[in-house]
Amino acid sequence: QVQLVESGGGLVQAGGSLRLSCAASGRTFCSYNMGWFRQAPGKEREFVAVIHWSTGNTAYADSVKGRFTISRDNAKNTVYLQMNNLKPEDTAVYYCAADRSPVVRRTQYDYAYWGQGTQVTVSS
């Protein structure tokens, strides 16, 4: 079992930055790929980024590539999402999720564990 708690959301102006954190409980955190997803009002939840549990390989949605960076600290059981040059269309609830797979995946249905989400609002 893995329990996930996100933090770091808030209100920021367009062009600003935020860093989201996701703290995990459980001894096996380091064996899970960790992903970030987001859901805007009236829209489906969508993939944002993922990091492999051992290689550190990453993947990003095209909409955030070059602006967002995912990282993890296995010693602290924490995964981060650094978001720079934020845009109003980045406004959403952001969720972290854990997936026990040998490869990184982008589909939300592959992820077994989810946090409660943190709100990010970007004003224009």
Side-chain angles (χ1 to χ4, degrees):
Q1 286 278 353
V2 178
Q3 293 183 324
L4 306 172
V5 178
E6 302 96 335
S7 61
L11 173 64
V12 64
Q13 288 188 332
S17 298
L18 283 174
R19 188 175 83 154
L20 305 183
S21 299
C22 174
S25 63
R27 294 177 296 173
T28 58
F29 166 79
C30 62
S31 63
Y32 284 82
N33 300 334
M34 296 300 298
W36 285 96
F37 291 78
R38 66 186 182 186
Q39 187 168 20
K43 294 189 176 182
E44 294 281 326
R45 188 176 299 185
E46 65 175 3
F47 167 78
V48 175
V50 61
I51 186 166
H52 193 271
W53 69 275
S54 67
T55 65
N57 286 346
T58 58
Y60 296 90
D62 288 344
S63 59
V64 307
K65 201 172 295 183
R67 300 187 298 122
F68 291 11
T69 302
I70 188 172
S71 62
R72 66 189 296 162
D73 185 337
N74 286 342
K76 295 183 178 180
N77 280 13
T78 302
V79 63
Y80 305 97
L81 185 68
Q82 177 67 44
M83 306 186 294
N84 298 328
N85 190 21
L86 283 160
K87 304 176 181 181
E89 51 264 43
D90 295 317
T91 295
V93 177
Y94 283 71
Y95 300 89
C96 70
D99 172 31
R100 200 162 195 172
S101 166
V103 298
V104 294
R105 301 193 286 191
R106 299 171 179 245
T107 304
Q108 60 172 316
Y109 303 109
D110 292 324
Y111 288 72
Y113 301 104
W114 291 83
Q116 82 291 348
T118 185
Q119 176 71 47
V120 171
T121 303
V122 184
S123 64
S124 58

